[in-house]
């Protein structure tokens, strides 16, 4: 039987208050382990395996993370591209699921692995300017054309942080995870994923929708527990998500991407206030 993933581990710690050790007590820490994502590809009638990424993540929903990453990087485009997703055995050192997941592509799937090399430079801040990043993104996504759909009331936006927090089960135990949640236009939670990496949480979330055949997500809201970076805007745009909201601040390039491709972007969504950086027509104010 497969080993169940543990998202947090218990440790004995000493808690200090002011200048004194208050007590010996238990604490829970979010698990962080590397995950290698591999592709199984057919070439010239033969199967071969290729490593495409290693990311630090919280174990759990690894198959979703793998396919979500491959989709948001433009390597796969439809569930039919995927023949199977394999978790390659248990990790003997940690007794957790394997730190390797292989996505086996169908025999008719065609991939362009150069996209991974190109997107690496986009997301790793290796000297590529913002203009070049937007040009690269434009090769993968098209503009969200409906600037007034869906329309969301300010009350819905205000309600999202609390709903996100209440659904963060692992964060409640550890205080150490990012979350990404998908909501409908009425503010009802559709799906939530947590991870030590904010980009991993989004890939897990989109990966679940990909596997369920629910893409594109043209009537949904993406809510983030932290800041909104260009990388997260890129992933949301790949899934055709029209509205992205974040508890924290957006980066300048995230705002530029949202404005370029017609996405609504809200930041500092907390304490019954928020800023609209792009796509204000989708937000119903004064209602």
């Amino acid at each position: 039987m497969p080993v169940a993933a543990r998202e947090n581990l218990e440790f004995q710690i000493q808690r200090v208050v002011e200048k004194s050790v208050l007590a010996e007590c238990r604490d829970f820490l979010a698990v962080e382990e590397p995950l290698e994502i591999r592709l199984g590809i057919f070439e010239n009638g033969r199967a071969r395996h290729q490593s495409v990424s290693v990311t630090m993540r919280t174990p759990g929903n690894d198959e979703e993370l793998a396919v979500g990453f491959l989709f948001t990087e433009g390597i796969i485009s439809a569930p039919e591209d995927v023949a199977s997703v394999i978790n390659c055995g248990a990790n003997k050192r940690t007794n957790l699921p394997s730190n390797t997941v292989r996505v086996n592509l169908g025999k008719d799937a065609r991939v362009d692995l150069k996209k991974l090399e190109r997107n690496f430079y986009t997301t790793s801040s290796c000297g590529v300017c913002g203009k070049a990043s937007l040009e690269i993104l434009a090769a993968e996504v098209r503009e969200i054309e409906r600037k007034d759909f869906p329309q969301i009331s300010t009350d819905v936006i205000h309600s999202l942080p609390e709903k996100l927090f209440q659904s963060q089960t692992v964060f409640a135990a550890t205080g150490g995870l990012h979350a990404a949640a998908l909501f409908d236009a009425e503010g009802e939670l559709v799906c939530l994923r947590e991870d030590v990496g904010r980009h991993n949480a989004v890939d897990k979330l989109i990966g679940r929708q990909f596997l369920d055949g629910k893409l594109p997500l043209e009537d949904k809201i993406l809510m983030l527990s932290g800041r909104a970076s260009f990388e997260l805007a890129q992933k949301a745009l790949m899934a055709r998500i029209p509205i992205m909201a974040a508890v924290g601040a957006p980066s300048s390039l995230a705002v530029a991407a949202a404005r370029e491709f017609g996405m609504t972007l809200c930041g500092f969504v907390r304490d019954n206030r928020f800023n609209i950086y792009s796509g204000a027509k989708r937000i119903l104010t004064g209602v």
Side-chain angles (χ1 to χ4, degrees):
M1 294 181 64
V3 180
R6 286 181 289 168
E7 297 169 313
N8 60 75
L9 292 176
E10 182 180 333
F11 288 83
Q12 286 294 121
I13 65 167
Q14 291 179 312
R15 183 160 291 153
V16 176
V17 176
E18 294 183 352
K19 297 181 180 181
S20 302
V21 175
L22 181 63
E24 294 273 348
C25 58
R26 297 185 305 165
D27 196 18
F28 292 91
L29 301 181
V31 174
E32 183 177 30
E33 286 280 331
L35 178 70
E36 179 185 14
I37 299 173
R38 301 183 64 86
L39 273 180
I41 307 171
F42 276 93
E43 283 187 345
N44 301 320
R46 300 183 63 181
R48 71 177 180 89
H49 300 161
Q50 177 169 334
S51 178
V52 295
S53 178
V54 176
T55 185
M56 300 302 296
R57 100 300 190 192
T58 301
N61 308 111
D62 289 341
E63 294 82 1
E64 297 174 359
L65 172 55
V67 298
F69 169 81
L70 293 173
F71 171 76
T72 59
E73 293 296 327
I75 303 303
I76 57 177
S77 59
E80 306 86 72
D81 292 337
V82 179
S84 61
V85 185
I86 299 173
N87 199 305
C88 303
N91 184 311
K92 295 180 180 179
R93 179 173 63 84
T94 62
N95 200 35
L96 292 168
S98 166
N99 284 339
T100 301
V101 167
R102 187 173 76 245
V103 179
N104 294 318
L105 302 183
K107 291 184 178 181
D108 296 329
R110 296 291 180 265
V111 298
D112 179 6
L113 295 180
K114 291 183 179 179
K115 289 181 179 178
L116 286 172
E117 299 174 7
R118 183 176 68 234
N119 287 354
F120 169 78
Y121 291 107
T122 303
T123 59
S124 61
S125 301
C126 293
V128 177
C129 71
K131 182 176 183 293
S133 298
L134 292 175
E135 289 173 350
I136 291 168
L137 183 56
E140 301 294 334
V141 304
R142 54 189 173 84
E143 183 180 4
I144 299 175
E145 297 176 354
R146 288 286 305 276
K147 303 298 190 296
D148 58 348
F149 177 83
Q151 290 195 309
I152 309 298
S153 73
T154 54
D155 286 343
V156 167
I157 299 294
H158 288 317
S159 74
L160 299 182
E162 181 64 21
K163 291 177 179 178
L164 183 76
F165 178 75
Q166 293 295 335
S167 301
Q168 288 183 253
T169 56
V170 185
F171 180 86
T174 67
L177 291 183
H178 295 285
L182 200 65
F183 291 90
D184 65 19
E186 284 71 46
E188 295 299 319
L189 180 65
V190 176
C191 186
L192 181 142
R193 291 292 181 264
E194 295 178 275
D195 200 277
V196 289
R198 56 174 60 86
H199 57 291
N200 291 337
V202 173
D203 278 338
K204 287 179 178 181
L205 184 71
I206 293 176
R208 180 69 268 156
Q209 307 309 304
F210 178 93
L211 290 170
D212 290 342
K214 294 182 178 179
L215 297 181
L217 302 170
E218 295 178 318
D219 59 348
K220 299 296 188 293
I221 309 166
L222 174 63
M223 181 67 194
L224 306 172
S225 64
R227 63 185 180 86
S229 67
F230 170 75
E231 184 180 16
L232 302 186
Q234 174 185 1
K235 293 177 183 298
L237 285 165
M238 287 293 290
R240 307 293 294 163
I241 297 173
I243 301 173
M244 184 167 76
V247 171
S251 71
S252 61
L253 196 53
V255 173
R259 292 181 176 182
E260 179 80 13
F261 297 100
M263 183 171 68
T264 298
L265 176 58
C266 301
F268 296 107
V269 185
R270 56 179 187 256
D271 302 325
N272 212 37
R273 62 178 177 83
F274 61 90
N275 298 337
I276 304 174
Y277 294 89
S278 174
K281 287 185 178 180
R282 294 193 184 95
I283 307 300
L284 296 172
T285 57
V287 177

